Amino acid sequence: MGGVTSSMAAKFAFFPPNPPSYKLVTDETTGLLLLSPFPHRENVEVLKLPTRRGTEIVAIYIRHPMATTTLLYSHGNAADLGQMYELFIELSIHLSYDYSGYGQSSGKPSEQNTYADIEAAYRCLEESYGAKQEDIILYGQSVGSGPTLELAARLPQLRAVVLHSPILSGLRVMYPVKRTYWFDIYKNIDKIPLVHCPVLIIHGTSDEVVDCSHGKQLWELCKEKYEPLWLTGGNHCDLEHYPEYLRHLKKFISTIEKSPSQRYSSRRSTDPFEQPRKSTGVFEVARKSTDRREKPRKSTDRPEKLKNQTNNMDKLEKLRISFDQLERSRRSVDCHKKSRKSINHQLERARKSVDRLDRIRTG
């Protein structure tokens, strides 16, 4: 039954370009694999990688000698390497791959196959190029957020994650369900709390395929939040055309590269990755509904965090005002409770009086 359901879900989730946008050819002189019709580049290698599920996927590796991190890109559900090639060159993506059944990769697309596909790509980075877990950034676009988070949840020393127009789960793209069902695919909503590294989320506010609420809810569930990018007017497949996209992505990677590569599970949300979110107001506008829900929590949590920060008078003053507001609210609630007790007492006395009157009548 589960296999049948997964097969049905796959029909809604995967749309590989048909025909593929590229062909694999072998250079007669060098014996190297080439992506046709693109001209050969000295810093680009075309690879065929075997997966644990018996398929063989096509991948491209782009050398960037000066880079200190390695970016592994999982593309969306309606693209292949040929369509994304020039963008990968521009973004300095190190390794990207086609899912099973996409482009010139063998097999058929499925949730489990994409998990095996990204594992093969990650293993290639480690074994063939010497990349270390703590220096790798996983990037997942749309349905690519599924394999990205599946792998990220199992790599405790991962450097960072980028989620581009991500989904909460496959079923939630079609229906606003409130719980996770066993037959759902790509249950990102359950996996993102298991990711221990900084997470950047990018989503368009006018996304007609995957609503922006998916990205915002995933961001709320992140353990290590980085300043998100909500692109006003952005749709599902055009975010790369916004100047803010490339600028924000490069800022994130630069911040990550400057930070210590060793990750610690005890890391608090007060680290440098949280600070930019507090200092900017552009993306906070889109979070008004969640901010209203969080304000009471912030006003009670902050005193514990700021007891030893006596040098920050501005924050303490804001904290005192918030605490005073909370105290007034508490007193108001106490008054309501006292009024309710008084009313209950009066009702009890009236009930006893009626009982006595009934006894007199019956006597």
Side-chain angles (χ1 to χ4, degrees):
M1 180 64 180
V4 174
T5 309
S6 295
S7 298
M8 292 175 63
K11 292 182 179 179
F12 291 99
F14 304 110
F15 300 95
N18 187 18
S21 66
Y22 67 94
K23 294 181 179 179
L24 278 183
V25 297
T26 303
D27 186 277
E28 295 180 356
T29 305
T30 63
L32 297 175
L33 278 177
L34 302 176
L35 225 63
S36 175
F38 304 102
H40 173 61
R41 293 174 180 262
E42 291 296 329
N43 66 325
V44 177
E45 294 182 51
V46 181
L47 311 166
K48 282 187 175 181
L49 307 175
T51 76
R52 59 176 170 80
R53 290 177 63 87
T55 64
E56 190 174 57
I57 61 172
V58 178
I60 56 172
Y61 181 80
I62 305 172
R63 295 183 182 276
H64 300 286
M66 301 303 294
T68 59
T69 55
T70 300
L71 204 153
L72 172 55
Y73 193 107
S74 300
H75 61 64
N77 71 337
D80 63 18
L81 287 178
Q83 294 176 345
M84 305 292 291
Y85 184 79
E86 295 298 339
L87 177 65
F88 292 157
I89 299 295
E90 180 184 359
L91 295 181
S92 300
I93 302 298
H94 292 88
L95 182 69
S96 186
Y97 61 99
D98 263 340
Y99 308 121
S100 298
Y102 276 69
Q104 300 299 330
S105 296
S106 66
K108 294 182 178 180
S110 72
E111 178 188 17
Q112 295 304 319
N113 275 349
T114 61
Y115 295 158
D117 297 339
I118 195 172
E119 287 174 14
Y122 175 79
R123 187 170 60 249
C124 172
L125 285 176
E126 283 194 321
E127 297 176 358
S128 300
Y129 300 102
K132 297 179 180 179
Q133 180 183 150
E134 56 267 28
D135 294 326
I136 292 176
I137 300 173
L138 299 183
Y139 189 121
Q141 179 180 6
S142 187
V143 78
S145 61
T148 292
L149 286 177
E150 168 69 17
L151 182 60
R154 295 185 280 121
L155 298 177
Q157 301 300 319
L158 192 65
R159 192 62 168 266
V161 168
V162 179
L163 299 177
H164 176 150
S165 305
I167 63 174
L168 286 167
S169 73
L171 185 60
R172 287 175 172 86
V173 174
M174 298 181 288
Y175 305 104
V177 295
K178 300 299 183 182
R179 53 168 291 191
T180 298
Y181 293 88
W182 62 270
F183 54 82
D184 202 354
I185 63 172
Y186 297 129
K187 304 177 183 72
N188 293 340
I189 189 172
D190 299 326
K191 294 174 184 176
I192 198 163
L194 305 177
V195 177
H196 298 286
C197 61
V199 178
L200 164 64
I201 297 182
I202 303 171
H203 215 123
T205 60
S206 299
D207 194 322
E208 297 176 352
V209 179
V210 179
D211 191 79
C212 190
S213 60
H214 285 243
K216 291 181 178 180
Q217 191 170 343
L218 287 173
W219 186 80
E220 292 288 345
L221 294 170
C222 291
K223 278 190 174 180
E224 284 203 48
K225 299 177 177 66
Y226 184 85
E227 177 187 352
L229 179 61
W230 313 129
L231 284 168
T232 303
N235 211 315
H236 194 65
C237 300
D238 63 356
L239 303 189
E240 299 89 348
H241 303 304
Y242 286 74
E244 304 97 310
Y245 164 80
L246 191 58
R247 186 162 56 242
H248 201 78
L249 180 60
K250 287 184 175 181
K251 175 186 173 184
F252 174 68
I253 294 175
S254 176
T255 301
I256 293 301
E257 288 180 337
K258 291 177 183 177
S259 69
S261 61
Q262 193 71 19
R263 318 303 309 165
Y264 297 95
S265 59
S266 60
R267 191 168 198 149
R268 302 281 180 173
S269 61
T270 53
D271 65 18
F273 303 110
E274 187 74 10
Q275 290 174 5
R277 180 177 64 85
K278 294 179 180 178
S279 63
T280 60
V282 177
F283 58 90
E284 291 294 339
V285 175
R287 296 185 62 249
K288 285 183 179 178
S289 60
T290 54
D291 284 345
R292 284 197 292 270
R293 185 175 68 249
E294 290 180 352
K295 281 180 180 176
R297 176 178 60 79
K298 289 183 179 179
S299 62
T300 54
D301 287 345
R302 285 186 180 177
E304 293 298 324
K305 297 178 181 178
L306 298 177
K307 280 183 179 178
N308 299 322
Q309 298 180 7
T310 55
N311 61 329
N312 198 335
M313 298 304 296
D314 291 339
K315 288 186 178 180
L316 286 174
E317 178 62 21
K318 292 179 181 178
L319 176 64
R320 184 187 62 78
I321 295 171
S322 297
F323 196 79
D324 288 346
Q325 292 173 346
L326 180 64
E327 181 64 17
R328 286 196 296 270
S329 298
R330 185 188 63 78
R331 289 175 182 173
S332 176
V333 171
D334 289 343
C335 289
H336 284 300
K337 287 181 179 179
K338 290 177 182 179
S339 299
R340 188 167 62 248
K341 287 180 180 179
S342 176
I343 292 170
N344 290 340
H345 181 65
Q346 293 174 12
L347 288 173
E348 181 65 19
R349 289 179 59 187
R351 186 186 62 78
K352 290 180 179 179
S353 297
V354 171
D355 289 343
R356 284 197 297 270
L357 182 59
D358 287 340
R359 285 197 295 271
I360 294 171
R361 287 176 176 173
T362 56

